[in-house]
Amino acid sequence: MNIRDLLIDIKSPQAPVISEVVKALGILDTAQVGFSSDFLRHEYEVLKEDGEAAIRSVNGSIVSTMENTIMASVQLPSIQRLVTIDQIIKMKYGSLEAFLDSKSRTATYIRSIMQKLAQAVIYGDDPTFGVSGAFKGLRQIAKANGQLIGSLNGSSGSCTSIIAVHWAENETQIVIPEQENGNLVQMELVGGGTLQAPTADTTTGAKNLNYSVSFWTNAALQCGSKYSVAAIKRITPSTPPTAGLIDELIDAVKGMADGRTFLYMNRLGRRLVKQLKNSKMEITPSDTDYNTVVASWDNIPIVLDEMIVSTETTDLD
């Protein structure tokens, strides 16, 4: 299930806020989400190949084959935001709780964390496009699995990608820890909500007078199959994707119109795909529960995600 359905299912008090925030984040709006196996650590099987079966007649024999999976694990790092509130602001509201008790203010803090999570899901810990200290992202995993499709040669620094993902429960998903309070984003008052006086100027000894609140979530990406993700790389206006390349991309993840396969792209990618004027392209998508689906290709949803940049370099290849 996606993140909204999961939070509703566990009756999370953050379900309304998170549901609103992810409307503009294509990856998080559509991804499969599940709980980690061991809180801040997740173990899972990686399927190397499907393997082969055989037919055995009555009293016949069959050749034994080894299980074709390996075990992998991933840590769930913290994606965090520290908010500083001046003493005078707190006095105006009477308490930190009163200051924070604003849906729009809280949504702003949660949105910044969700945006950083979406960036990490796409680009992982890449030093230029990803998030330092994060897990491996879709673009990195596609490269590692030899799933970069086509031979477009757009200029480094001016490129974008189209990414295909086939989400599947317990195989290709974003994993989060199951929290006792049901919240995806946690909040804690630094120092128990006491006034802090950090040094502002080491020369004069001047100090700030403020309160701090920490917001964070923990998450990671699980891609347990070679066919989890693929990408068309180095797309530019002068090196656009072809209809054949998009079909090849979908085939690379064994995609089909099953509600679990998605094509992710930014506005440049969408414009270039629309220019193909292929009969497989539907500008007006059919009824969908997702807010970021802007079209479909052969009934596979095309999802807009602004976290995919148009300044990719060949370092990602």
Side-chain angles (χ1 to χ4, degrees):
M1 60 181 70
N2 62 35
I3 197 167
R4 290 171 294 149
D5 292 342
L6 178 64
L7 294 178
I8 291 171
D9 185 62
I10 64 175
K11 298 179 173 57
S12 169
Q14 289 182 343
V17 175
I18 298 289
S19 296
E20 190 66 28
V21 166
V22 299
K23 283 182 178 180
L25 299 170
I27 287 284
L28 300 187
D29 190 34
T30 53
Q32 173 80 29
V33 179
F35 290 123
S36 58
S37 61
D38 187 19
F39 202 62
L40 298 184
R41 181 173 176 272
H42 182 61
E43 275 194 354
Y44 61 97
E45 290 185 348
V46 176
L47 179 65
K48 296 166 67 176
E49 293 291 345
D50 288 344
E52 292 187 2
I55 296 175
R56 185 179 73 90
S57 61
V58 177
N59 297 322
S61 62
I62 188 169
V63 177
S64 175
T65 57
M66 289 290 292
E67 172 64 25
N68 211 12
T69 60
I70 59 174
M71 292 302 298
S73 66
V74 63
Q75 301 292 326
L76 280 63
S78 294
I79 299 172
Q80 201 155 4
R81 178 172 178 180
L82 184 64
V83 177
T84 299
I85 304 162
D86 190 271
Q87 180 189 30
I88 296 173
I89 300 296
K90 184 257 186 181
M91 292 171 60
K92 174 184 176 182
Y93 285 88
S95 68
L96 289 177
E97 290 77 6
F99 174 79
L100 295 169
D101 191 22
S102 164
K103 182 178 290 187
S104 61
R105 184 174 289 114
T106 302
T108 298
Y109 302 147
I110 290 177
R111 183 181 300 109
S112 66
I113 290 173
M114 293 293 99
Q115 287 173 338
K116 194 62 68 174
L117 173 57
Q119 182 182 355
V121 169
I122 295 169
Y123 292 113
D125 61 354
D126 181 85
T128 303
F129 304 102
V131 182
S132 177
F135 40 85
K136 295 302 178 183
L138 294 169
R139 193 62 173 73
Q140 294 172 306
I141 293 170
K143 175 184 176 181
N145 288 341
Q147 289 281 73
L148 295 180
I149 306 302
S151 55
L152 300 180
N153 58 353
S155 300
S156 181
S158 303
C159 303
T160 189
S161 296
I162 295 177
I163 303 171
V165 182
H166 187 256
W167 300 105
E169 185 177 0
N170 297 322
E171 181 179 282
T172 307
Q173 60 181 353
I174 296 171
V175 289
I176 60 174
E178 188 169 8
Q179 300 281 1
E180 187 175 336
N181 61 11
N183 288 334
L184 175 63
V185 178
Q186 306 300 312
M187 182 191 78
E188 184 175 0
L189 303 178
V190 176
T194 58
L195 183 66
Q196 310 291 306
T199 300
D201 190 318
T202 55
T203 302
T204 64
K207 296 180 180 296
N208 288 323
L209 295 174
N210 54 45
Y211 300 87
S212 296
V213 185
S214 176
F215 293 85
W216 79 94
T217 192
N218 294 88
L221 177 65
Q222 171 189 346
C223 288
S225 167
K226 174 183 178 180
Y227 309 107
S228 293
V229 57
I232 302 175
K233 63 179 183 176
R234 300 183 69 176
I235 297 171
T236 69
S238 58
T239 57
T242 64
L245 268 183
I246 296 174
D247 286 340
E248 186 180 346
L249 176 68
I250 294 168
D251 289 344
V253 296
K254 298 187 175 181
M256 59 186 71
D258 56 1
R260 298 188 300 170
T261 306
F262 294 89
L263 297 173
Y264 298 100
M265 61 192 73
N266 64 10
R267 295 181 187 276
L268 171 60
R270 181 184 63 171
R271 288 199 304 272
L272 296 176
V273 170
K274 287 174 67 175
Q275 290 174 9
L276 293 175
K277 301 186 186 302
N278 189 286
S279 60
K280 295 182 179 182
M281 174 76 173
E282 293 289 338
I283 302 300
T284 305
S286 56
D287 290 341
T288 173
D289 293 331
Y290 303 111
N291 299 279
T292 48
V293 173
V294 294
S296 64
W297 182 275
D298 216 7
N299 294 317
I300 293 176
I302 291 174
V303 179
L304 187 66
D305 197 302
E306 302 288 4
M307 293 294 110
I308 300 174
V309 301
S310 295
T311 55
E312 292 181 356
T313 65
T314 53
D315 291 340
L316 288 171
D317 301 343

